[in-house]
Amino acid sequence: MWTIPVLSRTIHTSTGLLFRCTPALCAEPLKKKKKLDPQIIKQREERKRKRLEKQIRRLEKNARQLKPIEELETPMELIDEQGKRRRAKASLTPELIEGRALLEKQWAKYKMQEKLADYQLFDRIMAAQTKALNELKLESEELYQQAIQPDPALVPFGAEGPVATPPIKNYEQPDGEYIDVSKKWE
């Protein structure tokens, strides 16, 4: 007689008393499909289509609008207080307008005279320096050459140029990493 192996677990080891366990089946009976009226199905599909069309129209309308910049938006409380904050325009008398124009003319004249005095002072200094150097040249050519040499201690200056190294072949420059914190507009 042929025996077919049965999937089982033995709890007891003696041959006479065997408890057999079958594997658990995790399933449940299938639910019956409800038969729906074709008219109801058609109405549902029509509602879905209308809803999608409405969303598409709304997106197309909003596509033309610019994205708002929060820093440029005026707070609502300032808009509400606009009437309180607005100042009445001051009515200027002709005498006041004329006095302001005269004051501006005087200020412009003062600044022009100040600039002209600076230019004249600079010209006098340059003329005195040139005259002193010419007198020194007549006295001693050697002293004159030393006098026209720049003094490195007078204006300290130091500069480093670029290092002359050849470029690395096949070097891929890194793009760098950054975290994008900008708001996403949908």
Side-chain angles (χ1 to χ4, degrees):
M1 177 182 209
W2 296 94
T3 59
I4 300 173
V6 177
L7 181 62
S8 66
R9 295 183 194 194
T10 56
I11 295 176
H12 200 275
T13 55
S14 67
T15 56
L17 296 171
L18 291 176
F19 289 97
R20 298 187 187 272
C21 297
T22 59
L25 299 174
C26 296
E28 59 183 46
L30 296 174
K31 290 182 180 178
K32 284 186 179 179
K33 260 192 166 179
K34 291 183 180 178
K35 290 185 182 178
L36 290 176
D37 186 19
Q39 187 67 23
I40 295 174
I41 295 172
K42 188 176 179 182
Q43 285 176 349
R44 285 183 185 172
E45 289 175 357
E46 186 70 24
R47 275 192 230 123
K48 282 183 184 178
R49 189 174 56 78
K50 283 183 181 178
R51 195 178 314 125
L52 284 174
E53 286 174 356
K54 186 177 179 183
Q55 286 177 347
I56 289 171
R57 279 196 307 271
R58 192 181 316 131
L59 286 174
E60 285 174 351
K61 186 173 26 170
N62 290 339
R64 286 178 244 130
Q65 293 178 352
L66 297 175
K67 295 176 183 175
I69 300 174
E70 291 179 1
E71 295 85 20
L72 299 179
E73 290 181 2
T74 308
M76 288 304 293
E77 54 203 31
L78 291 181
I79 293 173
D80 294 340
E81 295 175 359
Q82 192 172 10
K84 296 177 193 173
R85 293 173 174 266
R86 183 167 284 136
R87 294 181 185 173
K89 287 192 174 183
S91 59
L92 300 176
T93 61
E95 295 86 24
L96 187 59
I97 294 171
E98 191 176 322
R100 287 182 180 181
L102 185 61
L103 191 61
E104 285 179 12
K105 287 179 185 177
Q106 288 175 348
W107 178 252
K109 186 176 180 182
Y110 169 75
K111 292 304 281 182
M112 185 190 72
Q113 289 173 349
E114 187 180 42
K115 186 182 277 190
L116 188 62
D118 287 345
Y119 286 153
Q120 288 172 350
L121 178 64
F122 183 73
D123 287 342
R124 282 197 307 270
I125 291 172
M126 289 299 293
Q129 183 183 19
T130 306
K131 183 179 178 185
L133 284 174
N134 288 339
E135 292 292 328
L136 185 62
K137 191 174 187 180
L138 292 174
E139 285 293 318
S140 168
E141 184 69 29
E142 184 180 315
L143 289 176
Y144 173 78
Q145 290 300 327
Q146 286 180 354
I148 61 171
Q149 293 299 319
D151 186 8
L154 188 63
V155 181
F157 176 75
E160 289 185 24
V163 181
T165 57
I168 301 170
K169 290 182 181 179
N170 300 327
Y171 176 72
E172 292 183 22
Q173 184 175 357
D175 288 339
E177 294 179 14
Y178 67 97
I179 298 170
D180 187 13
V181 294
S182 59
K183 289 187 177 181
K184 303 290 184 219
W185 299 95
E186 296 176 19

